[in-house]
Structure formats: structure tokens, C-alpha cells
Amino acid sequence: MVSLDRFAVFRAVVESGSFTAAAAQLNQARAAVSFNIKQLETELGVTLLTRTTRRVELTDAGERFYARCLRVLEEAESAIDDARSEHGGMHGVLRVTSTVEYGTMVVAPALHEFMQRHPALRVRLETHASQVDLVRERVDVAIRLGRLEQFQDLPYRGACLATYEVRPVIAPSLLAAAGLSRIDSPDVLANLPQLGHTRLERIATWTLADRDGNPHAFQPGAKPRVVVDNASVLRVLARQGSGVALLPEWLVRDDLASGALVDALPDYRFPPQAVYALYPSTPHVPQKVRAWVDFMKAYLA
């Protein structure tokens, strides 16, 4: 019978791209990694990898085997975690990914409390501006933010943890420079300098709701002066008076309270955004994943 250890070595070689990198990742000798791959290919009767001077590449058979290899290892790791959890709580590693800003402001404080409840569980938190492949990157749960419809067609399981508001914010200095003390309509706001986020570039028009629930269109009159891929950078630019920025309420709450930023359109509301927990769609959801998702729902409530 083929050893699961060789499955793990094969996965490490594929994901790292070389025998040397896999050996460092696994804390093994390169010769041991090479031997395990050769033995695995012998036992299976197929060539899984082609070797070049710089890296290794999957063969067609290797591609098919790699996909199944991931599922087998996932099931094995889940079974081990569940078996261990019957005695003394959850063990193993919980791998979580989020954006830098949400990870700093929300996920990190939540993890601190979660780890107090499960001291035997180790956590690996990675922050990314881009969305990662949960299966290939071996991520247990991705905390992602955006419009509800963004999460409907993804190849993962998901749970909506909470919703939040986004607010157009402006520095008092920019408001004064425009000769305004308050902005009363989306049309006035549209003619002020704008700041943009790469994730929102495709949205040309927003449908806003006034205090009575009536819809209004908001379409900036010109392209943003600056476009960035990080909400924290956008916040800094907005505080300096570079333009109007659309930012999550949880990120600018302190700025609004201190007066460093003001709500640029207080009588209108943008569509609500969602916080989603996404995890690989497997027949068996590990207990650590279920526990973390349930905890986050309660924490954000």
C-alpha cells in the first residue's frame, strides 16, 4: 500500500516547484525527497513529474494524481484532527487568510479570543490583497469581503458572517477647499476629486438609498485621481485631503469619531457589503473549520 507520507512529499514538491525547496519545507534531505518520489512513481507505475535543471513539472498523469492526492490528504488530516479532538479539544493547525486591514482590525483580535478557548490548536494567519486558491494553498478558511453576489458562484462552501456599511469619507480640509460645509446630494459628491480601490474599478455606478429608501444613482464625474489596492493606503490619502474615498465603516470609525474624516454623504446609504467565510468544498468539514466559522458568527454579532 502506498504511504501517505509519500503523498505529502509529492504535494510539497509540486507546490514548491523543486526537490530542494520541498526538502527545506519538510526539513528533510533532498535525497530523501527524491527517493520518495521515485518510490511513489514505481508503486503507481506512472511518471508523475518531469525534471528540468531549474524546476519540476507535472505530467498529465501527475496533474490528475495531484488533484486526488490533495483530497486524500485533506480527508486524512481531517480524520486525525477529529480523532484528536475527542480527547482534550482541537489540535493541529488552522490556516486562515484575510485582507491586511480586516486581519488587523477584526480577525487578529478574534483569533486571540478563539485561541484562549482552544489552547491546543495552532493558527496560521496569512494576509493577501489578492484572492488565493484555497485548495492549492491549503487554506482552511478565507475571510473575504464584498457584495453578496460575488460569493454565489465560487467553487467553495461559504457562510455569511456579517454585513457592514461602506461610507464615502472626505477630509474637512478638502470640504472647505471646495467651499462646502456639507454635501447634500450624490451629484455634488460626484464632482469632487475621487480616490479608487482596484477591487471597485469595475463598478461605474452605485445605487444609493436616501433616508426614505428611495434609490439614487451615484456616478463620479471623472476617473479617480489615484487608484490603490490597499484600503489602509486609501484611508491615509483621504485623511490628507487627496480626494473622496469609499471605505468600510469598521476601518474609518475612529476617524469619523475624531473628525479626521467626515461622512461625505450623511443622508444616503451605499449597498451593504458582506463578510464571508469560504472553505474548500469537501464531504467532511473539519471540526476546527466548523468551530472557527461558528465562533466568528457569534463574535461579529
Side-chain angles (χ1 to χ4, degrees):
M1 184 174 180
V2 179
S3 168
L4 279 179
D5 289 340
R6 291 193 181 125
F7 277 49
V9 171
F10 174 67
R11 176 176 66 185
V13 171
V14 173
E15 293 176 355
S16 64
S18 73
F19 284 69
T20 301
Q25 178 183 321
L26 297 169
N27 197 27
Q28 295 182 9
R30 186 186 184 284
V33 171
S34 179
F35 172 79
N36 273 290
I37 296 300
K38 288 179 180 177
Q39 285 296 107
L40 181 60
E41 290 178 324
T42 299
E43 291 165 350
L44 295 175
V46 295
T47 299
L48 301 173
L49 301 166
T50 56
R51 287 77 160 169
T52 66
T53 55
R54 293 187 176 182
R55 59 181 293 113
V56 296
E57 299 288 347
L58 285 167
T59 63
D60 289 343
E63 285 276 7
R64 292 190 295 272
F65 180 73
Y66 175 65
R68 294 192 175 186
C69 175
L70 290 179
R71 292 197 292 269
V72 170
L73 288 172
E74 175 80 22
E75 286 295 316
E77 290 169 358
S78 296
I80 291 169
D81 286 346
D82 278 359
R84 287 173 173 169
S85 70
E86 298 295 328
H87 302 281
M90 291 186 293
H91 292 71
V93 179
L94 175 69
R95 299 175 179 86
V96 180
T97 183
S98 177
T99 64
V100 175
E101 299 81 14
Y102 201 73
T104 301
M105 300 284 290
V106 181
V107 177
L111 275 174
H112 174 74
E113 185 175 328
F114 183 71
M115 289 186 295
Q116 305 304 307
R117 301 186 184 188
H118 306 287
L121 185 67
R122 292 176 291 123
V123 177
R124 183 181 183 91
L125 172 63
E126 296 184 357
T127 54
H128 300 274
S130 60
Q131 297 183 354
V132 300
D133 185 316
L134 304 190
V135 176
R136 181 171 290 274
E137 300 297 328
R138 299 175 60 202
V139 173
D140 293 310
V141 184
I143 306 296
R144 292 185 180 169
L145 288 69
R147 291 167 291 126
L148 287 166
E149 57 267 27
Q150 289 180 236
F151 306 104
Q152 293 176 352
D153 298 321
L154 295 176
Y156 307 120
R157 294 189 184 185
C160 183
L161 302 178
T163 59
Y164 63 93
E165 288 191 356
V166 291
R167 304 302 304 147
V169 293
I170 187 172
S173 60
L174 181 58
L175 201 60
L180 299 169
S181 59
R182 175 185 170 89
I183 301 173
D184 294 320
S185 77
D187 292 339
V188 174
L189 180 65
N191 290 320
L192 292 176
Q194 305 290 318
L195 302 173
H197 195 294
T198 52
R199 288 197 301 110
L200 304 178
E201 281 188 293
R202 295 181 181 179
I203 305 176
T205 303
W206 291 84
T207 300
L208 314 186
D210 62 22
R211 292 187 182 276
D212 296 323
N214 300 312
H216 296 265
F218 171 64
Q219 184 175 8
K223 291 185 177 181
R225 298 178 65 190
V226 182
V227 177
V228 301
D229 64 352
N230 183 293
S232 292
V233 175
L234 211 57
R235 177 190 177 199
V236 171
L237 289 168
R239 285 170 58 113
Q240 292 175 332
S242 297
V244 178
L246 188 62
L247 291 169
E249 189 274 338
W250 49 263
L251 182 63
V252 295
R253 186 178 300 136
D254 291 344
D255 293 325
L256 293 172
S258 69
L261 291 169
V262 297
D263 191 331
L265 208 58
D267 294 330
Y268 295 81
R269 287 292 176 264
F270 279 70
Q273 306 291 294
V275 181
Y276 251 76
L278 301 177
Y279 46 96
S281 183
T282 58
H284 177 85
V285 179
Q287 183 183 5
K288 61 186 178 183
V289 171
R290 295 195 303 268
W292 170 241
V293 171
D294 291 343
F295 171 82
M296 282 298 290
K297 281 184 181 179
Y299 182 87
L300 296 176

